[in-house]
Structure formats: C-alpha cells, structure tokens
Amino acid sequence: MRLMDMNTTEWQQFAPYIDTLCIPISSFSLQEKQLNRLQAQRVEQITKRFEKKLMGRVLLLPPISYVGKDSSVFLSYLNEVMTDLSQLSFHYLILVIDGQYKYIEEVDLTHLSFMDSVVHMVPTIEAELDEAAKEEMIDQEIMKLYNKTLKIWQTNI
C-alpha cells in the first residue's frame, strides 16, 4: 500500500495486515536551475515496484530527500524520523537509499523497536546505458530487496 494513495477507509481495512514500512531516501540536485533527479527516480521506481510485489504487507511512505552537504545533520533528522516510526506498532523497517547516501548503510538501527530492518543501497545507474540494460538493473535491485525482505520476515517468525 502506498500511504499517499490511500484514504482513511482503505487504511482501516488494510492496517491489521501491514507490518513493514518502506522509506525511499534519495538525493537530487538543482544547480544553476538544472534539475538532476535521475537517481531519485530510480529509487522511486524500485520502491514502487517492490511495494506492488508485496502489496498488503508493506506500507510505502513518501520519499525523504536531502540536498545538504552535512551528513550528520541528515542522519540526526533521519534518526528522529525512524525513532518516531518505531513507536507505531510496525515490525519491520526497510530503507531504500541511493548511492549518494552510502554512509546510511553504517547506521546502527538496533536501538529502534523494530523486530528487524533492511538498508538497501541502489547503485548509481549510468545514464548512458540503453533502456533494456537500465530495466534489467532495476529488476535485479527489486529482486535483491525482495529477497532481503523475505529473509527478515522468515527469520522473525
């Protein structure tokens, strides 16, 4: 389920079955009014298709973006968001991050009250690749994320 596409009635119907939060985290740049959000689009494609594959158990939250240079500021904010979310009776947390935020892979999530979590980094997909190669890479990333998620679900039965 996608948070932004649901109404209150739908949420009440599906909420008992959703135990996993998925948060896309991506960057973009807007230098000299030139927008570059290619990697953000990749992360969004992957998370939307991932959620569709596991619809009914995963809640896809809106993406978090950060364009600043100070990673400690972003990590502090992200930690606050995850701490708040961990108090909401969900069991699992999945962070899907773009390669620019590689430092998030090192974040200690054990202090959160989730049963388990996954941090999945989406590598940069080169713009010069043809569409078929890009699709293949995206499909591979979705399968990796899918398998990581199944693993945490099976481990915590």
Side-chain angles (χ1 to χ4, degrees):
M1 305 298 304
R2 296 179 190 165
L3 181 66
M4 301 311 287
D5 294 346
M6 265 191 292
N7 62 39
T8 304
T9 305
E10 289 173 317
W11 174 247
Q12 290 171 343
Q13 179 183 358
F14 293 106
Y17 308 104
I18 297 174
D19 64 353
T20 305
L21 295 176
C22 179
I23 307 173
I25 302 173
S26 58
S27 61
F28 67 92
S29 66
L30 191 60
Q31 296 176 335
E32 297 180 18
K33 295 196 177 185
Q34 297 297 311
L35 177 63
N36 181 358
R37 59 175 253 113
L38 186 60
Q39 191 64 9
Q41 289 170 326
R42 299 286 185 249
V43 170
E44 287 179 38
Q45 284 177 318
I46 289 167
T47 55
K48 284 180 179 178
R49 286 161 61 179
F50 166 75
E51 177 276 329
K52 189 173 184 177
K53 198 171 192 58
L54 297 172
M55 187 184 296
R57 187 154 180 197
V58 173
L59 178 62
L60 179 59
L61 298 179
I64 297 174
S65 295
Y66 181 72
V67 296
K69 303 273 188 248
D70 188 347
S71 61
S72 65
V73 171
F74 181 59
L75 286 175
S76 176
Y77 168 73
L78 189 58
N79 187 51
E80 184 174 333
V81 169
M82 292 185 304
T83 300
D84 286 351
L85 292 174
S86 73
Q87 307 304 312
L88 300 178
S89 300
F90 291 93
H91 300 299
Y92 306 99
L93 174 67
I94 299 169
L95 302 178
V96 181
I97 60 175
D98 80 27
Q100 180 150 345
Y101 297 128
K102 192 172 179 93
Y103 56 86
I104 294 174
E105 285 185 312
E106 309 303 320
V107 172
D108 178 19
L109 302 175
T110 58
H111 69 286
L112 301 174
S113 62
F114 293 104
M115 290 173 73
D116 210 340
S117 58
V118 168
V119 178
H120 180 79
M121 189 191 70
V122 175
T124 301
I125 299 174
E126 302 302 325
E128 57 271 357
L129 291 175
D130 64 41
E131 286 305 311
K134 289 178 190 174
E135 272 302 308
E136 177 65 26
M137 289 182 77
I138 288 170
D139 288 343
Q140 288 173 4
E141 291 304 313
I142 293 167
M143 284 310 299
K144 287 178 190 174
L145 182 56
Y146 177 80
N147 289 331
K148 287 179 183 179
T149 302
L150 291 182
K151 184 177 180 180
I152 65 168
W153 286 347
Q154 292 169 348
T155 303
N156 293 291
I157 291 179

